[in-house]
Structures are given as structure tokens and as C-alpha cells.
Amino acid sequence: MQYENVRNATGDSSDGIDYKSYTNNILHVGANQSIALVTYVDNTAKRAILVYGLKKRASVKLADLKLKLKAGSLIKIYWEENGADRINVLGADAQKISDIENLSYLKRLEGKITKLDGKSFAFFKIDNINCYINPTLVENNKLSNGDNVSILSVLDYNKKKEEWVWNSITLRKMESKTIK
């Protein structure tokens, strides 16, 4: 393993210089970098599920990320390959949602949802994207058929269907007037 001794630096910055950032930048030279979206956090197992590229998904230790995370957190990860479809995360930094502009596997979408009566889930359809909205988001946002929403969606692997599908990760209900 090429980076087995790499760890994040801990600096106190008491003199106003952010030594930690400088040191981490040096330690991460040569590592792969990706913008990743946290799709699930399991605090019991101390792991997070990340989508870090087009059709790239990984389960990683929370200790490797060293960030307080929740589903929908956007981060930059520094990583190396570790065998077939596995990665070792060397470090991570928090990112702004504006950093998803040109990513094919993350989309910010706005429009109306479709929710059938008696169903706990909903869908959002626009262009060639059919995005699933899980029951928790539907219930927490008290969604009804035709509601206007803004969602952060990710192309994630669905184990039941054995295919990559669009899933909503975060959702915000919007005023009816804002959507055309």
C-alpha cells in the first residue's frame, strides 16, 4: 500500500498559520481526489456510504474521514485503490454544494413531484432523470402529489434492482410560484 503511513496532521494554529492544511496538502500529493456525497451514515458500525464518482460507491470508516457527517454531506476525499472496487481514504475536507456544478453523478433538481395516493414514496421526473424520493423524506416534508421541491440527487447503486438509479438525498419544499 503506497500511503499506509499517511495520516492527517494536527496543528494548533496558535500563530495564525494553518499548518494542518499545509501539511495535509503535502501528505495528499499523488492521491486520487474526488467530490463525494455521503448517502448513509451508520453510527453503530462507524461507517459511511459514499458515492465518489460516476458508478463509484464505497463504504468507509468514519475515523478515516475525520469529519462530522450526515446523509447529504458533500466532501472531497483523498484516496487510493485497494484491490477490486475498494478504496482507502487518506483524508477528507468539507465542500460547498456549489462544487457539484459539473458532476455527472450529482444533480440539484427543481420541479414537481409525483406521489400516488396510498404510497409512502414519490418520484421526481425531469428530462431523462427519474429520481426516487424515499418515504422518510416524503413524511418529514409532508409531501403531496404536485408539490414543488428542490432536491439533491445522486446516481447510486440499488442492490435490489442491481442497477444504478437516481435517489434523492436532501429535499426542500418550495413555494408554488417559484417553479415554472
Side-chain angles (χ1 to χ4, degrees), residues 58-122:
S59 173
V60 299
K61 296 177 189 173
L62 290 175
D64 291 342
L65 299 172
K66 295 181 175 68
L67 296 168
K68 187 172 173 89
L69 300 171
K70 62 181 182 178
S73 295
L74 192 65
I75 60 177
K76 178 187 277 187
I77 58 170
Y78 304 90
W79 57 278
E80 68 177 357
E81 291 182 16
N82 181 17
D85 296 330
R86 299 187 72 90
I87 63 171
N88 288 335
V89 174
L90 309 173
D93 298 317
Q95 295 293 294
K96 296 178 187 154
I97 199 70
S98 59
D99 293 334
I100 71 167
E101 284 295 318
N102 297 312
L103 299 176
S104 58
Y105 54 97
L106 295 173
K107 302 277 184 204
R108 169 72 65 196
L109 304 169
E110 293 182 356
K112 294 181 186 267
I113 66 155
T114 302
K115 181 182 177 299
L116 300 175
D117 288 337
K119 298 294 182 181
S120 58
F121 57 87

Side-chain angles (χ1 to χ4, degrees), residues 110-114 123-131:
E110 293 182 356
K112 294 181 186 267
I113 66 155
T114 302
F123 286 95
F124 177 92
K125 295 179 184 179
I126 190 167
D127 299 327
N128 62 344
I129 294 175
N130 186 14
C131 182

Side-chain angles (χ1 to χ4, degrees), residues 39 49-52 55-59 156-157 159 164:
T39 60
I49 305 295
L50 310 174
V51 173
Y52 65 99
K55 298 186 178 181
K56 291 184 178 183
R57 184 177 197 258
S59 173
D156 199 1
Y157 190 72
K159 289 180 183 178
W164 290 86

Side-chain angles (χ1 to χ4, degrees), residues 129-160:
I129 294 175
N130 186 14
C131 182
Y132 174 75
I133 303 172
N134 68 57
T136 302
L137 285 175
V138 170
E139 183 179 323
N140 289 348
N141 290 280
K142 298 177 177 53
L143 296 178
S144 301
N145 188 44
D147 282 348
N148 292 312
V149 297
S150 172
I151 62 175
L152 177 60
S153 60
V154 62
L155 190 60
D156 199 1
Y157 190 72
N158 182 317
K159 289 180 183 178
K160 286 182 183 176

